[in-house]
Amino acid sequence: MLKIDNEKRIRITRGDSGTIVFTAQNNDGSDHEFQAGDIVRLKVMEKKDVTDVVLIKDITVGENCYSVDMGLNSNETRIGEYINAPVTYWYEVELNPDTNSTTIIGYDEDGAKEFILYPEGKNESRG
């Protein structure tokens, strides 16, 4: 399960895979056109500790487009140990983070953007 709500909260079950579609707007409100070769980076951090990064995922844009699909696989969403309750992280999305960084989604006047990880069941029995 992967869901994104109107507040840009990402909710995913630990160990699940899914695709996040990113778009951006220019300062004038028009849709941003990503260029071939652009890098889009998702960075997930411990809540209230932006120095403790738990996941970084980069996507290279293949051709000019107005949206970028970022797939997360089950290994990438297995953050930390097994959990018995939801765990909230913070996240941000940057465009070209290593050259001319622009934050597309991140901490703003509405606060941090949340990446909420739900528990997954263990894949083995007690046997």
Side-chain angles (χ1 to χ4, degrees):
M1 174 207 81
L2 179 125
K3 293 182 181 179
I4 302 171
D5 65 22
N6 290 341
E7 268 115 54
K8 300 180 183 165
R9 249 185 314 259
I10 299 172
R11 301 169 189 269
I12 189 164
T13 301
R14 184 181 183 278
D16 280 5
S17 59
T19 300
I20 302 170
V21 179
F22 295 112
T23 59
Q25 290 190 323
N26 297 313
N27 290 334
D28 65 5
S30 62
D31 291 337
H32 176 77
E33 183 176 15
F34 296 95
Q35 302 297 304
D38 279 348
I39 304 293
V40 177
R41 175 174 291 163
L42 168 69
K43 192 181 326 176
V44 180
M45 304 149 285
E46 288 286 344
K47 181 179 179 179
K48 298 183 180 181
D49 186 358
V50 297
T51 66
D52 192 354
V53 178
V54 297
L55 173 66
I56 293 178
K57 173 81 181 221
D58 288 351
I59 291 291
T60 302
V61 176
E63 59 186 37
N64 294 7
C65 57
Y66 290 96
S67 65
V68 175
D69 294 356
M70 178 178 286
L72 294 176
N73 66 45
S74 58
N75 288 331
E76 292 165 328
T77 65
R78 284 197 175 99
I79 298 168
E81 299 298 320
Y82 283 99
I83 54 177
N84 291 313
V87 175
T88 300
Y89 297 92
W90 288 354
Y91 80 93
E92 66 184 18
V93 178
E94 296 172 276
L95 175 62
N96 297 318
D98 298 324
T99 55
N100 189 22
S101 181
T102 301
T103 301
I104 298 172
I105 302 170
Y107 204 110
D108 59 20
E109 62 275 357
D110 296 323
K113 300 303 171 255
E114 295 181 335
F115 185 99
I116 301 170
L117 198 63
Y118 290 117
E120 80 169 317
K122 196 169 182 181
N123 287 328
E124 52 191 65
S125 64
R126 285 191 259 175

